[in-house]
Each structure stands twice: as structure tokens, then as C-alpha cells.
Amino acid sequence: MLDLRELYQELIIDHNNNPRNFRALPPPASKVEGHNPLCGDKITLYLRVEDAQVKDISFQGVGCAISQASASLMTEVLMGKTVSDAKALFQNFHELMTASNEEALPDCGKLQALVGVRAYPARVKCATLAWHTLEAALQKQQCVVSTE
Ligand code: ZN
């Protein structure tokens, strides 16, 4: 039997070492910067939405393994999704990271890899940084997002 927690950690290490969609997108893609001052994580998220669908999404950044792996996983999961699916995933992922009832956590598929972060409340912002940045990008705010 594979230890699932170990598998999830491997997925985080893999995404940190080989981040997916790690590139810039030219305009008219939205470009939004996210910053988690608690840990020093920075990401720049690029998002191209057409017909309410994520046509392309990418990021660049520096920071801890959790922040970069979370951003990489997020771009992989959201590619091709509708905007409403993306918003629903954000809600589910936020609940996965912050809900107090361990018994009723949502199923987030691949994003479940980050569930171990729950045990380290100070690091939850590392995992959610990319998603808060996404939320701003979906609202087409051309600004710098901070988790503080
Ligand atoms: Zn971090």
C-alpha cells in the first residue's frame, strides 16, 4: 500500500522542481502579482480568458516549495476550465485549507496533495497565495495582491 501522504509530498516536490506552465504570457493576458510577506513568496500570474473559459494560464515566481507547487498545480488544474468552475475550485480549495471540520473536507482531486499544509497554519497562506492572486486576475484587477 502506498502511503498517500507520502505520495502527496512527492507531488509537491515534483511540482516545485518541475513547475508546470512556468512562463509569461503576452498581453492581452491579465497579469497579477501576488505576495505573501509572511514567508517571502512571490508569484506573477498570467491569465487569458475568452468566452468565460480559461484559454491559457501560467505563472512565474520565487518562494517556498509549497507556494510554487501550489501555483503549478493550480495552473494545471485550471487550464481549459470555465470561469465558474475556476471559482468553484477556489471555494473548495479554500475550504480544504481552512475548514475546521476535518471530517467534511471537500474532494479537490490533485489539489488534495496540499492537505498536509493544514497542520501548519502559518503555511496555509503559502498554499492559498496563487488562488488569491487568481481571484484578483478573474476580477481583472491589475494590481499587487498581498495576503496581509
Ligand atoms: Zn511560503
Side-chain angles (χ1 to χ4, degrees):
M1 278 292 283
L2 262 174
D3 182 338
L4 278 182
R5 182 155 287 198
E6 206 164 277
L7 182 73
Y8 288 158
Q9 281 171 355
E10 273 174 26
L11 196 62
I12 291 171
I13 292 164
D14 176 39
H15 273 265
N16 182 49
N17 289 342
N18 307 293
R20 318 301 199 270
N21 306 304
F22 194 89
R23 55 193 158 83
L25 292 181
S30 306
K31 175 186 175 186
V32 179
E33 289 175 12
H35 184 205
N36 173 18
L38 276 182
C39 182
D41 309 316
K42 285 182 179 172
I43 76 156
T44 304
L45 185 74
Y46 299 90
L47 178 70
R48 189 162 64 84
V49 171
E50 278 171 33
D51 303 326
Q53 191 185 6
V54 177
K55 292 289 182 185
D56 207 351
I57 181 168
S58 68
F59 81 104
Q60 291 180 313
V62 290
C64 69
I66 292 167
S67 68
Q68 302 303 302
S70 178
S72 174
L73 274 163
M74 184 186 80
T75 62
E76 196 176 62
V77 166
L78 292 183
M79 191 72 79
K81 289 274 193 302
T82 63
V83 168
S84 56
D85 281 350
K87 286 177 178 169
L89 274 166
F90 172 74
Q91 291 298 330
N92 280 346
F93 182 67
H94 199 261
E95 206 179 316
L96 179 74
M97 287 291 111
T98 59
S100 53
N101 184 0
E102 289 266 351
E103 306 298 313
L105 295 178
D107 179 5
C108 292
K110 254 184 207 176
L111 302 174
Q112 222 79 14
L114 289 155
V115 73
V117 176
R118 285 174 56 90
Y120 309 92
R123 309 303 300 280
V124 165
K125 284 181 175 174
C126 301
T128 56
L129 172 65
W131 290 87
H132 285 293
T133 310
L134 168 81
E135 197 182 30
L138 287 173
Q139 291 166 2
K140 292 210 162 111
Q141 292 172 352
Q142 306 285 328
C143 63
V144 177
V145 177
S146 174
T147 53
E148 286 303 285

PDB file of all heavy atoms in Angstrom, residues 36 38-41 63-68 122-123 125-127 129, ligand 1:
ATOM      1  N   ASN A  36       3.230  37.023  -0.500  1.00  0.00           N
ATOM      2  CA  ASN A  36       2.962  36.560   0.863  1.00  0.00           C
ATOM      3  C   ASN A  36       4.132  36.988   1.737  1.00  0.00           C
ATOM      4  O   ASN A  36       5.134  36.283   1.844  1.00  0.00           O
ATOM      5  CB  ASN A  36       2.807  35.030   0.872  1.00  0.00           C
ATOM      6  CG  ASN A  36       2.691  34.475   2.280  1.00  0.00           C
ATOM      7  OD1 ASN A  36       2.392  35.207   3.223  1.00  0.00           O
ATOM      8  ND2 ASN A  36       2.936  33.185   2.423  1.00  0.00           N
ATOM      9  N   LEU A  38       4.665  37.041   4.836  1.00  0.00           N
ATOM     10  CA  LEU A  38       4.999  36.204   5.988  1.00  0.00           C
ATOM     11  C   LEU A  38       6.135  35.246   5.670  1.00  0.00           C
ATOM     12  O   LEU A  38       6.937  34.896   6.525  1.00  0.00           O
ATOM     13  CB  LEU A  38       3.779  35.384   6.416  1.00  0.00           C
ATOM     14  CG  LEU A  38       2.771  36.065   7.330  1.00  0.00           C
ATOM     15  CD1 LEU A  38       1.665  35.086   7.684  1.00  0.00           C
ATOM     16  CD2 LEU A  38       3.451  36.583   8.584  1.00  0.00           C
ATOM     17  N   CYS A  39       6.167  34.795   4.408  1.00  0.00           N
ATOM     18  CA  CYS A  39       7.124  33.766   4.027  1.00  0.00           C
ATOM     19  C   CYS A  39       8.083  34.282   2.948  1.00  0.00           C
ATOM     20  O   CYS A  39       9.136  33.695   2.722  1.00  0.00           O
ATOM     21  CB  CYS A  39       6.349  32.545   3.527  1.00  0.00           C
ATOM     22  SG  CYS A  39       7.331  31.144   3.047  1.00  0.00           S
ATOM     23  N   GLY A  40       7.707  35.382   2.294  1.00  0.00           N
ATOM     24  CA  GLY A  40       8.539  35.908   1.216  1.00  0.00           C
ATOM     25  C   GLY A  40       8.207  35.334  -0.143  1.00  0.00           C
ATOM     26  O   GLY A  40       8.984  35.478  -1.082  1.00  0.00           O
ATOM     27  N   ASP A  41       7.047  34.677  -0.248  1.00  0.00           N
ATOM     28  CA  ASP A  41       6.649  34.083  -1.533  1.00  0.00           C
ATOM     29  C   ASP A  41       6.137  35.162  -2.480  1.00  0.00           C
ATOM     30  O   ASP A  41       5.379  36.041  -2.080  1.00  0.00           O
ATOM     31  CB  ASP A  41       5.515  33.069  -1.338  1.00  0.00           C
ATOM     32  CG  ASP A  41       5.828  32.050  -0.263  1.00  0.00           C
ATOM     33  OD1 ASP A  41       6.961  31.554  -0.258  1.00  0.00           O
ATOM     34  OD2 ASP A  41       4.945  31.774   0.558  1.00  0.00           O
ATOM     35  N   GLY A  63       9.870  31.497  -4.131  1.00  0.00           N
ATOM     36  CA  GLY A  63       9.330  31.309  -2.795  1.00  0.00           C
ATOM     37  C   GLY A  63       9.492  29.866  -2.360  1.00  0.00           C
ATOM     38  O   GLY A  63      10.194  29.078  -3.003  1.00  0.00           O
ATOM     39  N   CYS A  64       8.797  29.531  -1.276  1.00  0.00           N
ATOM     40  CA  CYS A  64       8.940  28.197  -0.708  1.00  0.00           C
ATOM     41  C   CYS A  64       8.290  27.150  -1.624  1.00  0.00           C
ATOM     42  O   CYS A  64       7.513  27.484  -2.518  1.00  0.00           O
ATOM     43  CB  CYS A  64       8.310  28.147   0.685  1.00  0.00           C
ATOM     44  SG  CYS A  64       6.522  28.280   0.670  1.00  0.00           S
ATOM     45  N   ALA A  65       8.610  25.898  -1.369  1.00  0.00           N
ATOM     46  CA  ALA A  65       8.124  24.791  -2.204  1.00  0.00           C
ATOM     47  C   ALA A  65       6.605  24.749  -2.232  1.00  0.00           C
ATOM     48  O   ALA A  65       6.003  24.481  -3.277  1.00  0.00           O
ATOM     49  CB  ALA A  65       8.677  23.470  -1.680  1.00  0.00           C
ATOM     50  N   ILE A  66       5.971  25.035  -1.094  1.00  0.00           N
ATOM     51  CA  ILE A  66       4.511  24.944  -1.037  1.00  0.00           C
ATOM     52  C   ILE A  66       3.871  25.995  -1.946  1.00  0.00           C
ATOM     53  O   ILE A  66       2.948  25.705  -2.706  1.00  0.00           O
ATOM     54  CB  ILE A  66       4.004  25.109   0.416  1.00  0.00           C
ATOM     55  CG1 ILE A  66       4.436  23.898   1.244  1.00  0.00           C
ATOM     56  CG2 ILE A  66       2.494  25.274   0.461  1.00  0.00           C
ATOM     57  CD1 ILE A  66       4.269  24.079   2.733  1.00  0.00           C
ATOM     58  N   SER A  67       4.392  27.219  -1.897  1.00  0.00           N
ATOM     59  CA  SER A  67       3.798  28.291  -2.714  1.00  0.00           C
ATOM     60  C   SER A  67       3.986  28.015  -4.199  1.00  0.00           C
ATOM     61  O   SER A  67       3.059  28.235  -4.992  1.00  0.00           O
ATOM     62  CB  SER A  67       4.405  29.651  -2.345  1.00  0.00           C
ATOM     63  OG  SER A  67       5.769  29.723  -2.741  1.00  0.00           O
ATOM     64  N   GLN A  68       5.138  27.529  -4.589  1.00  0.00           N
ATOM     65  CA  GLN A  68       5.408  27.321  -6.010  1.00  0.00           C
ATOM     66  C   GLN A  68       4.679  26.072  -6.514  1.00  0.00           C
ATOM     67  O   GLN A  68       4.142  26.063  -7.621  1.00  0.00           O
ATOM     68  CB  GLN A  68       6.922  27.215  -6.255  1.00  0.00           C
ATOM     69  CG  GLN A  68       7.697  28.445  -5.774  1.00  0.00           C
ATOM     70  CD  GLN A  68       7.207  29.749  -6.404  1.00  0.00           C
ATOM     71  OE1 GLN A  68       7.205  29.899  -7.621  1.00  0.00           O
ATOM     72  NE2 GLN A  68       6.766  30.700  -5.579  1.00  0.00           N
ATOM     73  N   ALA A 122       0.594  28.524   9.693  1.00  0.00           N
ATOM     74  CA  ALA A 122       1.383  29.647   9.167  1.00  0.00           C
ATOM     75  C   ALA A 122       1.687  29.468   7.688  1.00  0.00           C
ATOM     76  O   ALA A 122       2.014  30.430   6.990  1.00  0.00           O
ATOM     77  CB  ALA A 122       2.685  29.791   9.954  1.00  0.00           C
ATOM     78  N   ARG A 123       1.603  28.216   7.205  1.00  0.00           N
ATOM     79  CA  ARG A 123       1.948  27.955   5.813  1.00  0.00           C
ATOM     80  C   ARG A 123       0.725  27.927   4.888  1.00  0.00           C
ATOM     81  O   ARG A 123       0.883  27.799   3.681  1.00  0.00           O
ATOM     82  CB  ARG A 123       2.679  26.605   5.689  1.00  0.00           C
ATOM     83  CG  ARG A 123       3.840  26.435   6.640  1.00  0.00           C
ATOM     84  CD  ARG A 123       4.879  27.544   6.488  1.00  0.00           C
ATOM     85  NE  ARG A 123       5.471  27.612   5.164  1.00  0.00           N
ATOM     86  CZ  ARG A 123       6.451  26.818   4.741  1.00  0.00           C
ATOM     87  NH1 ARG A 123       6.952  25.907   5.525  1.00  0.00           N
ATOM     88  NH2 ARG A 123       6.947  26.956   3.528  1.00  0.00           N
ATOM     89  N   LYS A 125      -1.139  30.258   4.043  1.00  0.00           N
ATOM     90  CA  LYS A 125      -1.087  31.393   3.111  1.00  0.00           C
ATOM     91  C   LYS A 125      -0.137  31.119   1.947  1.00  0.00           C
ATOM     92  O   LYS A 125      -0.312  31.677   0.863  1.00  0.00           O
ATOM     93  CB  LYS A 125      -0.685  32.672   3.840  1.00  0.00           C
ATOM     94  CG  LYS A 125      -1.833  33.236   4.644  1.00  0.00           C
ATOM     95  CD  LYS A 125      -1.472  34.516   5.348  1.00  0.00           C
ATOM     96  CE  LYS A 125      -2.698  35.094   6.041  1.00  0.00           C
ATOM     97  NZ  LYS A 125      -2.359  36.260   6.856  1.00  0.00           N
ATOM     98  N   CYS A 126       0.861  30.282   2.171  1.00  0.00           N
ATOM     99  CA  CYS A 126       1.749  29.889   1.070  1.00  0.00           C
ATOM    100  C   CYS A 126       0.939  29.113   0.022  1.00  0.00           C
ATOM    101  O   CYS A 126       1.095  29.317  -1.176  1.00  0.00           O
ATOM    102  CB  CYS A 126       2.873  28.985   1.581  1.00  0.00           C
ATOM    103  SG  CYS A 126       3.895  29.737   2.858  1.00  0.00           S
ATOM    104  N   ALA A 127       0.055  28.231   0.512  1.00  0.00           N
ATOM    105  CA  ALA A 127      -0.727  27.369  -0.386  1.00  0.00           C
ATOM    106  C   ALA A 127      -1.839  28.139  -1.084  1.00  0.00           C
ATOM    107  O   ALA A 127      -2.215  27.810  -2.205  1.00  0.00           O
ATOM    108  CB  ALA A 127      -1.311  26.193   0.394  1.00  0.00           C
ATOM    109  N   LEU A 129      -1.832  31.499  -1.729  1.00  0.00           N
ATOM    110  CA  LEU A 129      -1.384  32.718  -2.418  1.00  0.00           C
ATOM    111  C   LEU A 129      -1.775  32.720  -3.897  1.00  0.00           C
ATOM    112  O   LEU A 129      -2.348  33.697  -4.397  1.00  0.00           O
ATOM    113  CB  LEU A 129       0.149  32.855  -2.277  1.00  0.00           C
ATOM    114  CG  LEU A 129       0.793  33.977  -3.117  1.00  0.00           C
ATOM    115  CD1 LEU A 129       0.305  35.345  -2.650  1.00  0.00           C
ATOM    116  CD2 LEU A 129       2.322  33.905  -3.025  1.00  0.00           C
TER     117      LEU A 129
HETATM  118 ZN    ZN B   1       5.796  30.123   1.643  1.00  0.00          ZN
END
